[in-house]
Amino acid sequence: MSEKKIHIKIITPEKIVYEDDVDSVIAQGVKGSFGILPNHIPFMSALDIDTAKVIKNGEEITFSIMGGAFQFKGNDAIILTEAAERGNDIDTARAKLAKERAEAQLSSAKTQRDIKIANAAIARAMARLKAASKN
Ligand code: ATP
């Protein structure tokens, strides 16, 4: 009898960033972190700009996830997000520069909209640096 796994897909508008059969998924929802094991009941959550982790045969793979949605049903998991990168594919120098640029934009922001845009860019860069540090 084959062991139960979760079939996960991490999908962006451009591509399928990751697809595999894994043992568990841990992601950061807008209401907090959650973990999914095979045979979990159907579940959906909006995702934060943060990281998601899959565990496969004891190996952990961390991704940066730029918000979006998580859906789980019948041992199929889907993360739909604007952008996602596997930790070891992340260009940390680029993320550090993006963070510095966004911090400068935040300090000279004049409108609520400018503040929101700068904070979102900081969150994206921090999610990338966090994912890169876990690989
Ligand atoms: P930057 O200002 O460096 O472009 P950004 O947050 O504006 O960062 P996004 O708009 O979220 O970038 O992403 C644009 C594309 O670039 C996406 O395909 C994303 O996967 C990729 N990307 C962004 N930053 C990085 C990075 N540090 N390493 C690898 N890929 C990245």
Side-chain angles (χ1 to χ4, degrees):
M1 202 176 78
S2 70
E3 208 187 321
K4 275 274 175 228
K5 297 271 185 184
I6 295 170
H7 187 74
I8 183 165
K9 284 185 194 172
I10 301 177
I11 302 171
T12 71
E14 272 130 39
K15 59 182 176 177
I16 297 176
V17 174
Y18 181 79
E19 178 173 11
D20 209 346
D21 293 318
V22 302
D23 301 302
S24 62
V25 180
I26 296 157
Q28 311 300 320
V30 289
K31 293 183 191 158
S33 176
F34 60 86
I36 300 282
L37 291 169
N39 300 328
H40 195 288
I41 57 166
F43 174 78
M44 263 182 100
S45 176
L47 293 172
D48 246 350
I49 299 177
D50 207 303
T51 57
K53 182 166 83 176
V54 302
I55 301 175
K56 186 188 174 185
N57 303 328
E59 186 201 358
E60 291 187 3
I61 308 170
T62 304
F63 299 85
S64 54
I65 302 290
M66 300 304 136
F70 176 89
Q71 185 187 45
F72 180 81
K73 189 170 185 253
N75 287 330
D76 284 323
I78 296 174
I79 289 176
L80 271 179
T81 180
E82 271 183 41
E85 301 93 28
R86 198 174 166 140
N88 50 16
D89 290 335
I90 289 170
D91 177 342
T92 51
R94 176 175 166 180
K96 281 180 190 156
L97 273 178
K99 184 165 174 279
E100 283 168 19
R101 206 165 47 236
E103 283 165 349
Q105 278 161 0
L106 184 62
S107 61
S108 63
K110 292 195 174 48
T111 63
Q112 286 302 315
R113 187 173 173 274
D114 291 345
I115 292 170
K116 209 171 155 185
I117 290 170
N119 276 329
I122 291 170
R124 291 198 300 276
M126 286 178 66
R128 289 182 171 120
L129 293 170
K130 183 174 164 189
S133 74
K134 304 246 159 112
N135 280 266

